[in-house]
Amino acid sequence: MSEGTMQRRAQREEREQRAKRLSRVLVCAAAVPVMLVAAGCSSDSGSGDSTDKAAKAAASASASPSPTVQAAAYGKLPEPCKAFSKKTLEDLVPKGKSGKEGKSDDISTRGSCSWDSLDNNGVKGSQFRWLNVSMLRFESDVTRGPADKLAEEYFEKQVQEAQAVEGAKGVKTEPVAGTGDQATAVHYDLKKKEGTFKQQTVVARVENVVVTLDYNGAGLAGDKTPSGSDMLKDAKKAAKEAVDAVSETNGKGGGKAGGSASKTPSKSPSKSPSKSASKEASDEPSKSASSPSKKPASKS
């Protein structure tokens, strides 16, 4: 084989090798877009799944019912200075004038009224009486709970405060039947420089309203000390009248107040009242022994 023939063969083989290499490059180049497209499709598919899951979660959340709580049974309070009949006031504060209404930022949720009486018998002394009624109405709240439960917690707190008055002697506690859903009377003696005061506190709850009645009296300047048992009887009667006024104001006709059996609260400390009650009750003017020490001093 001549040298020219061998050279041509070598050139042909080199061209064939170059053609094969070029073919492989083109095949690989064509494969890259296909892979990218496949990867793109796979990525889109995952994103769609995430979007669908998020949409389903949002729909499920919107479909869940909002928390609810039972509405308060009573929506208003009576005028506290009109809670008692004329006869009741004549019996409890015979020399009293018109009641003095306490200040309230919302008369639909809180109210109070007080009366005082001084029967002056000259050198024989005088008889002093003081009557106060306070009413506090609770509203239901999703966070704090139903209104009647909040009222019950406040009721227990009021009873405990009446039992723990500084200087009280012979403290006694007893249930009061036929007055609201639950009612308790606390009575004791409180000695002051003006004389010995007979203190009666009746705390009652009807639905979501708590009524606190304070009634005390003393014989001043040598007059005899009044009968504690008689005063307690009068206080219980007046408390029932105030509770009935709450029911009647809310269109219940007083039936609830007279038909429920009262519950005796535990003498052990109860759980702390909810925040709703503590906020509303912190300003409530039912400090059972605060007024006895002040009232007679101004009158004697």
Side-chain angles (χ1 to χ4, degrees):
M1 182 178 297
S2 65
E3 182 178 352
T5 302
M6 293 176 63
Q7 185 176 5
R8 286 194 295 275
R9 177 180 291 180
Q11 291 174 347
R12 186 170 60 253
E13 290 176 353
E14 184 177 354
R15 286 196 298 271
E16 290 176 353
Q17 291 294 332
R18 276 201 298 255
K20 289 179 180 180
R21 286 197 298 271
L22 179 61
S23 176
R24 285 198 297 271
V25 169
L26 291 175
V27 169
C28 290
V32 171
V34 173
M35 292 174 65
L36 291 175
V37 171
C41 293
S42 176
S43 176
D44 288 343
S45 175
S47 176
D49 290 344
S50 299
T51 302
D52 291 344
K53 289 178 180 179
K56 290 178 180 179
S60 176
S62 63
S64 300
S66 300
T68 59
V69 65
Q70 184 176 356
Y74 290 167
K76 52 187 176 180
L77 295 175
E79 293 183 50
C81 290
K82 296 182 179 179
F84 305 115
S85 68
K86 182 178 179 180
K87 184 179 185 307
T88 296
L89 292 175
E90 288 176 350
D91 290 343
L92 273 65
V93 280
K95 297 295 181 177
K97 297 180 180 180
S98 59
K100 181 180 179 181
E101 187 169 353
K103 294 182 179 179
S104 174
D105 54 358
D106 184 358
I107 59 174
S108 71
T109 59
R110 66 171 68 240
S112 65
C113 191
S114 62
W115 299 258
D116 59 72
S117 169
L118 185 66
D119 187 3
N120 194 336
N121 299 312
V123 295
K124 294 182 180 180
S126 57
Q127 286 290 321
F128 173 78
R129 299 289 186 274
W130 182 75
L131 172 67
N132 183 82
V133 64
S134 300
M135 302 176 183
L136 188 61
R137 185 182 65 83
F138 290 83
E139 284 285 2
S140 294
D141 184 88
V142 173
T143 302
R144 300 173 305 199
D148 59 344
K149 181 64 176 177
L150 298 176
E152 185 175 355
E153 291 173 349
Y154 182 61
F155 166 86
E156 294 173 358
K157 178 184 175 184
Q158 287 290 85
V159 172
Q160 290 170 14
E161 287 185 356
Q163 293 169 330
V165 170
E166 185 177 357
K169 302 295 183 181
V171 178
K172 295 181 180 179
T173 303
E174 60 185 75
V176 180
T179 302
D181 295 301
Q182 54 188 147
T184 297
V186 180
H187 49 100
Y188 51 84
D189 291 349
L190 196 63
K191 290 186 177 181
K192 296 292 182 180
K193 63 180 181 179
E194 298 89 355
T196 298
F197 288 82
K198 295 290 185 178
Q199 172 69 36
Q200 328 294 321
T201 298
V202 180
V203 184
R205 178 185 70 84
V206 56
E207 297 289 358
N208 55 307
V209 176
V210 176
V211 174
T212 303
L213 181 137
D214 289 304
Y215 183 47
N216 65 62
L220 307 179
D223 205 346
K224 64 180 182 180
T225 300
S227 167
S229 60
D230 288 345
M231 292 190 67
L232 178 59
K233 182 179 179 181
D234 288 340
K236 289 179 179 179
K237 178 182 176 182
K240 184 181 186 307
E241 196 170 324
V243 167
D244 286 348
V246 173
S247 296
E248 289 165 3
T249 297
N250 288 274
K252 303 297 181 179
K256 180 72 174 179
S260 300
S262 65
K263 303 175 184 178
T264 305
S266 172
K267 292 187 179 181
S268 60
S270 64
K271 59 184 178 180
S272 299
S274 65
K275 290 183 178 179
S276 75
S278 62
K279 179 179 184 302
E280 294 180 21
S282 61
D283 299 326
E284 186 64 23
S286 60
K287 303 298 182 184
S288 58
S290 61
S291 292
S293 61
K294 296 179 181 179
K295 290 290 181 179
S298 63
K299 294 289 182 178
S300 60

